[in-house]
Amino acid sequence: MTTILSPELIASFIDIVGSGHALSSPAETAPYLVESRGLYHGTTPLVLRPGSVEEVSRIMRLASQTRTAIVPQGGNTGHVAGQIPREGKADMVLSLERLNRIRDVDPVGNVIVADAGCILADVQKAADDAGRLFPLSLGSEGSARIGGNLSTNAGGTAVLAYGNMRQLCLGLEVVLPTGEIWDGLRRLKKDNTGYDLRDLFIGAEGTLGVITGAVLKLFPKPLGHQVAFAGLRSVEDALALFDRASTLCGPALTGFELMPRIGIEFTSRHIPGVRDPMPTVHPWYALIDISTSDSAESAERMIEGVLETGVSNGLVENAIIATSETQRKALWHMRESMSPAQKPEGGSIKHDVSVPVSNIPAFMAEADTAVMKAIPGARICAFGHMGDGNIHYNISQPVGADKQVFLDRWREMNAIVHGIVLKYRGSISAEHGIGQLKRDELAEIRPEIEIELMQRIKHAFDPAGIMNPDKVLRTRSM
Amino acid sequence: MTTILSPELIASFIDIVGSGHALSSPAETAPYLVESRGLYHGTTPLVLRPGSVEEVSRIMRLASQTRTAIVPQGGNTGHVAGQIPREGKADMVLSLERLNRIRDVDPVGNVIVADAGCILADVQKAADDAGRLFPLSLGSEGSARIGGNLSTNAGGTAVLAYGNMRQLCLGLEVVLPTGEIWDGLRRLKKDNTGYDLRDLFIGAEGTLGVITGAVLKLFPKPLGHQVAFAGLRSVEDALALFDRASTLCGPALTGFELMPRIGIEFTSRHIPGVRDPMPTVHPWYALIDISTSDSAESAERMIEGVLETGVSNGLVENAIIATSETQRKALWHMRESMSPAQKPEGGSIKHDVSVPVSNIPAFMAEADTAVMKAIPGARICAFGHMGDGNIHYNISQPVGADKQVFLDRWREMNAIVHGIVLKYRGSISAEHGIGQLKRDELAEIRPEIEIELMQRIKHAFDPAGIMNPDKVLRTRSM
């Protein structure tokens, strides 16, 4: 059953942004209605592309008066369909892409103030131009937008040293479901004045309001940067090496990424320019990234120290240190190609999970056994941010299997893998969020009181249930 | 008008904890009813000292059924009377002091799980015994308790490198106003599964629930530790020195504390064992603390590097580097005595404020002018965590002035100083919280919609208004 909005109401929404910025033809709206993996296809009467915070506010005010559902969208790179309108409803898409101005860069105060629609790479570049670092970094940074990064509390590859988006944000500007604007654009490192509204909007996936601007932290650019690639015997050895590396390097350890042999094979096979950087073959690999602020030499000393202790303790079978920025980028490119390299291998059932860091080897062993029992011949390509306890536990189909038959077992495999995750009190969504994909599962696995508290917060902020309905939680009203 | 509870109800509460753990005589309850500065005196029919989370739950269930107000209290070291029951009401005090068990220390997973009633120093010690560092450090750490540290999002002296309590906490256990227990004791570094309940309870000052346990982060112990003390010409020079130090040291800069000459005089005069460590006299001083994980030598290199660049750029007039742990402790002891050293000098009107770091010199100059105009002869002792933008802007009475007459101008001076803080979009409570002291002021200075959102959150969690009423916000119901 499709909800239909009146032509008058649609015209009123179009009036707010101007007809040039309201899209309604299927050809125009199509890119906003499907997420990157193609698992969800939404429908919408209209994609609104406001050009100012004031226009966002007017859209929300009208939506609130008329009980029209609004789905905020940034770069449409999300993996859980939080940004995709529901199918068969009349959800309007509110694209933030025209709100893409860097409002201020203050290198002395170490902050940048950006519209929510700024592309992450553009924020990185503006920081770099001012002699500073904005450390959030992830595969989709060329198209992901700041508002989406905030709404999903994005993680990425530098969380180990700098934290995820929640730790990188000092202040927010949010348009509430009523259209009111909350100006929380503070630049303060410390501010204990009441409830933490900022962190409530961060990670709420656009269900409590529309983030329109943010104050983000900048950092001094590191003077030293080293990247090593180490061949390892086991996940246990990877954990032991991580432990030594983090003790030795402290916050200078900016990345510790785990990769399996099959991931190196997939990327070498399918990603142009990627080749196995080592002549020897190992079951596991670690990419170790070190950044130092005091000197280039200290990063050299540290990376050598990590590898030396790894070799002398029998943890590292072989290792290379990148000797140029080109080599460093090539190693990171290989790591970031792990996910796309699975596509040409057929269907891939994905899990974005975390467990306490010390439980990673046990979790992996149990999950591997259970998955191989359920689908003999499945090719497990589990990689990720070992230092954060965050594994992208992906399963490629057996060679020659039917893709759709394999993908039809998505929920079943989720139940198996997530069951083991929960045994270790882990998370079924470490960094991608809940959206539509994991909404019902979240309600099942969490204590009733936790879902109840979230529902009460949702109701307190959005009593009419118009703000990105049925994402994260099944919306009660409407 | 004093509210009176029925003897039957009081007996039911006593039954839950046992008569040995329910205090009612004025002599017994007195220590729970006055905060450290003596500004607030509360009244209570009963101080309940539960011995288990289950007892806390039963207390809250009964309180919720009978609409009895409950005030959670930890070490009673708070500065804004958030932990003190209201005067003339029948608020029961719920002391967490018997819930003081370290539940688990996991040095491999780098977490410690502690009851909310654990004393901060005991948590530091348990971490130390396991070869790890729990970095939260503040003047009252010998009596402040973890639940209070969490409920006020405590800061302290190591925020620069490690963040405040919100950044140090991975998971919480909370007894809700209804008595239900939320088990959010997760040990995960990344977990994007719905609204951030944890950060909502942190900093809520016990108005949304009673924190009973927490998972806290541990860190490797630094190998290198250096502390320097530098004499400076001005706050501008201090800011320039901080900027160079943070660029050079990155996250190894664990403290950068600003102190005025008068603070050195006060501490030398009144605090046993404290003496001015330098033969020369300077208008301002910085205490610079550096911790390094890779080696002891790198801390030495860094502290020398900071002072060299400071001297060669004319920012540092004179400096000493502590050469032993005893000397390092002595310098920190002087810094931590800044506040107590003001007491023997008569009345002191205090402000715990923050501004964007780069605005500190301008803020200080304007505030000084305004204060000296209002109270000629006032002695401004403004010190604090420069790197966090957090200044304890304290004003000691003029020599020979009447203490009470001076203290009667508390609100007036607040208005002056906070007015300038707000001009720089700063915070009127950087680390101490709101409690009763700043509640009405918060409502005045913040946008109406912000207070309204907080009220709605309060109502969603505590519809009966029994949970630490009239703290942070004026409670609407009851």
Side-chain angles (χ1 to χ4, degrees), chain A residues 152-153 182 186 190-193 195 207 248-250 293-294 301 354 390 427 429 431 446 450 456 460, chain B residues 152-153 182 186 190-193 195 207 248-250 293-294 301 354 390 427 429 431 446 450 456 460:
Chain A
T152 56
N153 186 28
W182 175 55
R186 294 164 198 147
K190 286 164 84 174
D191 178 26
N192 283 343
T193 50
Y195 304 151
T207 63
L248 183 70
C249 307
S293 52
D294 58 330
R301 272 194 305 273
S354 68
N390 178 193
S427 171
S429 191
E431 57 179 9
R446 283 293 161 81
E450 184 167 330
R456 284 193 227 155
Chain B
T152 55
N153 186 27
W182 175 55
R186 291 162 201 149
K190 287 164 83 173
D191 178 26
N192 282 342
T193 50
Y195 304 151
T207 62
L248 183 69
C249 307
S293 52
D294 58 330
R301 272 194 305 272
S354 68
N390 178 191
S427 170
S429 190
E431 57 178 10
R446 281 294 159 82
E450 185 168 329
R456 284 193 227 158

Side-chain angles (χ1 to χ4, degrees), chain A residues 32-233:
Chain A
Y32 300 85
L33 301 178
V34 56
E35 41 67 62
S36 57
R37 292 173 184 167
L39 294 175
Y40 286 82
H41 296 262
T43 48
T44 193
L46 211 52
V47 174
L48 295 165
R49 303 166 66 247
S52 68
V53 176
E54 185 50 38
E55 285 181 9
V56 176
S57 165
R58 289 170 60 202
I59 289 169
M60 289 316 305
R61 201 172 309 132
L62 180 57
S64 151
Q65 286 156 359
T66 57
R67 302 208 151 219
T68 309
I70 300 287
V71 180
Q73 189 177 104
N76 192 13
T77 61
H79 283 329
V80 292
Q83 77 279 24
I84 301 295
R86 295 169 298 179
E87 215 182 325
K89 305 276 183 178
D91 298 353
M92 296 232 180
V93 175
L94 191 165
S95 168
L96 278 298
E97 62 200 335
R98 287 179 63 222
L99 288 183
N100 61 354
R101 200 167 55 89
I102 304 281
R103 299 188 193 177
D104 187 25
V105 187
D106 174 6
V108 178
N110 272 313
V111 295
I112 187 167
V113 187
D115 281 357
C118 286
I119 289 176
L120 171 53
D122 293 341
V123 172
Q124 292 168 344
K125 186 170 182 308
D128 193 67
D129 290 347
R132 288 292 185 267
L133 171 75
F134 180 64
L136 187 75
S137 175
L138 32 87
S140 61
E141 62 198 24
S143 44
R145 293 172 192 269
I146 291 299
N149 296 149
L150 286 161
S151 293
T152 56
N153 186 28
T157 54
V159 172
L160 205 51
Y162 298 100
N164 50 13
M165 203 51 165
R166 192 166 273 136
Q167 278 78 51
L168 297 174
C169 177
L170 293 173
L172 285 183
E173 176 188 74
V174 179
V175 175
L176 300 170
T178 51
E180 288 163 294
I181 299 169
W182 175 55
D183 177 359
L185 285 175
R186 294 164 198 147
R187 302 184 182 203
L188 304 172
K189 297 204 180 165
K190 286 164 84 174
D191 178 26
N192 283 343
T193 50
Y195 304 151
D196 186 4
L197 299 178
R198 179 189 65 203
D199 287 324
L200 203 48
F201 288 116
I202 296 177
E205 304 184 32
T207 63
L208 301 179
V210 185
I211 295 173
T212 50
V215 179
L216 305 171
K217 286 188 204 168
L218 299 180
F219 295 83
K221 280 193 206 178
L223 289 181
H225 184 208
Q226 292 288 334
V227 177
F229 186 68
L232 312 169
R233 200 173 292 110

Side-chain angles (χ1 to χ4, degrees), chain B residues 171-467:
Chain B
L172 285 183
E173 176 188 74
V174 180
V175 175
L176 301 169
T178 52
E180 290 163 294
I181 299 168
W182 175 55
D183 177 359
L185 283 176
R186 291 162 201 149
R187 301 183 182 203
L188 305 172
K189 299 208 178 159
K190 287 164 83 173
D191 178 26
N192 282 342
T193 50
Y195 304 151
D196 187 3
L197 299 179
R198 180 189 65 205
D199 288 324
L200 203 47
F201 288 115
I202 297 176
E205 303 184 32
T207 62
L208 301 179
V210 185
I211 295 173
T212 51
V215 180
L216 305 171
K217 285 187 204 167
L218 299 180
F219 296 83
K221 280 192 206 177
L223 290 181
H225 185 207
Q226 293 287 336
V227 177
F229 187 68
L232 311 169
R233 199 172 292 109
S234 65
V235 180
E236 283 81 359
D237 285 358
L239 178 64
L241 184 64
F242 167 71
D243 189 47
R244 283 163 194 271
S246 74
T247 301
L248 183 69
C249 307
L253 184 66
T254 25
F256 194 101
E257 300 286 315
L258 181 71
M259 286 169 278
R261 176 65 203 167
I262 197 171
I264 308 300
E265 285 169 10
F266 284 180
T267 51
S268 310
R269 194 178 301 157
H270 301 296
I271 307 293
V274 170
R275 57 176 196 83
D276 184 348
M278 283 205 280
T280 47
V281 168
H282 309 273
W284 291 94
Y285 298 86
L287 186 160
I288 305 162
D289 188 286
I290 289 172
S291 308
T292 51
S293 52
D294 58 330
S295 71
E297 292 72 38
S298 61
E300 287 170 27
R301 272 194 305 272
M302 281 187 190
I303 201 92
E304 284 163 12
V306 170
L307 294 181
E308 268 167 32
T309 184
V311 169
S312 66
N313 287 283
L315 302 172
V316 170
E317 294 191 320
N318 195 3
I320 55 165
I321 299 177
T323 55
S324 68
E325 190 56 23
T326 311
Q327 286 187 9
R328 284 189 278 275
K329 282 195 173 145
L331 288 175
W332 269 112
H333 180 56
M334 183 174 66
R335 160 62 187 85
E336 277 166 1
S337 305
M338 285 283 134
S339 205
Q342 288 161 40
K343 240 179 188 163
E345 294 287 334
S348 172
I349 297 175
K350 296 174 192 296
H351 307 83
D352 164 41
V353 302
S354 68
V355 293
V357 180
S358 46
N359 294 136
I360 288 180
F363 157 70
M364 299 268 272
E366 276 185 60
D368 290 359
T369 304
V371 165
M372 296 311 287
K373 192 176 160 200
I375 306 186
R379 294 167 299 161
I380 299 164
C381 184
F383 63 96
H385 321 295
M386 174 132 202
D388 308 321
N390 178 191
I391 299 295
H392 298 294
Y393 192 90
N394 295 350
I395 309 166
S396 281
Q397 65 173 65
V399 175
D402 182 272
K403 183 175 173 183
Q404 200 49 53
V405 169
F406 174 77
L407 286 179
D408 286 346
R409 300 183 71 176
W410 189 292
R411 298 266 164 200
E412 178 199 346
M413 299 315 289
N414 278 186
I416 290 175
V417 174
H418 291 168
I420 300 167
V421 165
L422 295 177
K423 183 182 148 187
Y424 290 103
R425 299 207 60 166
S427 170
I428 62 162
S429 190
E431 57 178 10
H432 296 161
I434 298 299
Q436 301 182 63
L437 182 66
K438 299 181 181 176
R439 180 196 59 206
D440 295 340
E441 193 177 356
L442 183 71
E444 279 165 28
I445 63 168
R446 281 294 159 82
E448 211 173 304
I449 182 65
E450 185 168 329
I451 300 295
E452 172 61 26
L453 288 175
M454 290 190 203
Q455 286 283 11
R456 284 193 227 158
I457 291 170
K458 169 72 175 172
H459 186 75
F461 280 69
D462 177 27
I466 58 166
M467 199 72 257

